Every structure is written in structure tokens, then in C-alpha cells.
Amino acid sequence: MRKIVVQMSLSLDGFFEGRGGDIGWHQVDEELHQHFNDVIAPMGGFLSGRVSHELMAAYWPTADQDPTASGPEREFARIWRDMPKIVYSRTLDHADWNATVVREVDVEQVRRLTAEPGGDLALGGADLAATFARHDLIDEYRIYVHPVLVGRGRRLFPEADAPTNLRLVESRVFGNGVVLLRHERVR
């Protein structure tokens, strides 16, 4: 079975975005970006919401043509372009770059998708992750805690009625001070 994996950057005070959607505080250097590439490249696809997909589609399709792009950035551009994508959106009729638009999260459809052969599925976007969490569809959380206090913004985890039990399976400190906390869902 393929796993659904949330991979998000957070500030130490729990925000994935600062005020006004600011993510300029993310401390992604070459080491961290290469790590992202290494864990994403073998995956079987991206699952994202409209906003996340449009943000990615605005930059990554041609990022490898930018002469100032780092090696890991050029590599990720190729990974992103080639990776199959499902974009969950009620408003988009079409999405480019190897993407299929799906109107809403259908639990049985997602379970069939995870039963297909292939790599794990990377889930992106806080609102979509909250929907998947409500339906108990997330198998793994890869949270990258950046050494910064943002103060205000959007939190990744919404309020819930019950705890979700997780088991730490990996932690890693990167040279720039970012800490990976990788947890699996206890079933």
C-alpha cells in the first residue's frame, strides 16, 4: 500500500505561513533542498489543492532554465514537471503539468489510489491536509521545523475533537538548523 505523506515546513511557533501568506522565512539551502529531492523523487505523485498547485506551477515548470538556479532547484523542476499530480479544486476546470483535477476528496477514491502500485503520495496544502486528516487518510507527517518565530500567520494543524496518535520514526538536524520530525500514524 502506498502511504499518503504530508511534508510541510513550520516555524517553531507552529505556522506554515506568516502574515499575508509570507514564506520568506523558510530556510531552504542546498542541503535541505537536496534532501527534499531525495525523498520526493521516488514518490508516485503529488496531491495538492488549487492554491498550492498554482503556486508551484507559477515557478517550477521552467525553474531549471534559470541560470541562477542551484543544482537541487534544477533537479526539482524536472521532478515536479514529470510527477503525476492530482489537484483538488471546485473551481479549476483544467490544470497543466501532468495534472488531473478532482472536485472533492472522496475517501473511497483515495483508498483505491493508495492501493495502486507505485511510490507514496506527497500531500501538499494545509487546507487539503486538514481535509485528509479529518478523514483519517494521512499515514505520515514530515514536518520541517525552521528556527524562527513568525508570530502570526496560518497554523498547519486545525483544532480537532480527538487526538491523533503518532510514532516518531526519524529526526534529523540539518546544517541550517532546520529539524525534520517524521512521524507515522499509529493505527
Side-chain angles (χ1 to χ4, degrees):
M1 293 276 299
R2 302 197 286 183
K3 294 187 297 187
I4 294 178
V5 179
V6 171
Q7 183 168 313
M8 295 285 288
S9 289
L10 288 183
S11 64
L12 185 59
D13 52 352
F15 298 100
F16 73 92
E17 288 180 340
R19 293 178 201 149
D22 176 39
I23 59 170
W25 50 268
H26 286 194
Q27 298 176 20
V28 181
D29 60 8
E30 283 201 35
E31 177 195 20
L32 184 56
H33 207 296
Q34 187 59 57
H35 165 79
F36 290 158
N37 292 354
D38 293 344
V39 298
I40 289 172
M43 289 195 163
F46 291 113
L47 309 175
S48 62
R50 177 191 58 80
V51 172
S52 294
H53 178 75
E54 288 178 341
L55 287 171
M56 299 295 280
Y59 179 71
W60 289 110
T62 59
D64 55 346
Q65 297 168 19
D66 181 348
T68 65
S70 68
E73 288 172 322
R74 287 191 299 277
E75 179 184 358
F76 184 76
R78 290 186 292 275
I79 292 167
W80 189 85
R81 268 195 315 265
D82 295 343
M83 185 80 62
K85 300 162 198 65
I86 294 177
V87 180
Y88 290 88
S89 173
R90 291 183 188 97
T91 58
L92 282 181
D93 291 321
H94 173 77
D96 291 321
W97 306 108
N98 202 16
T100 301
V101 176
V102 174
R103 292 285 169 227
E104 60 187 53
V105 176
D106 177 312
V107 173
E108 290 310 312
Q109 181 185 45
V110 172
R111 288 195 175 122
R112 285 191 301 274
L113 186 63
T114 60
E116 293 176 4
D120 293 338
L121 302 167
L123 178 62
D127 293 336
L128 186 61
T131 300
F132 272 64
R134 252 191 331 275
H135 292 297
D136 196 26
L137 294 170
I138 299 173
D139 301 297
E140 184 175 310
Y141 293 84
R142 292 181 188 167
I143 304 301
Y144 296 84
V145 181
H146 293 249
V148 62
L149 299 172
V150 175
R152 290 188 184 169
R154 288 186 62 201
R155 295 198 182 276
L156 175 58
F157 301 108
E159 290 184 13
D161 293 328
T164 300
N165 294 317
L166 305 172
R167 182 183 74 235
L168 181 67
V169 294
E170 179 185 5
S171 63
R172 176 177 172 183
V173 179
F174 293 88
N176 61 5
V178 172
V179 176
L180 162 62
L181 298 173
R182 185 174 147 230
H183 289 83
E184 288 182 345
R185 178 81 161 88
V186 175
R187 301 245 179 227

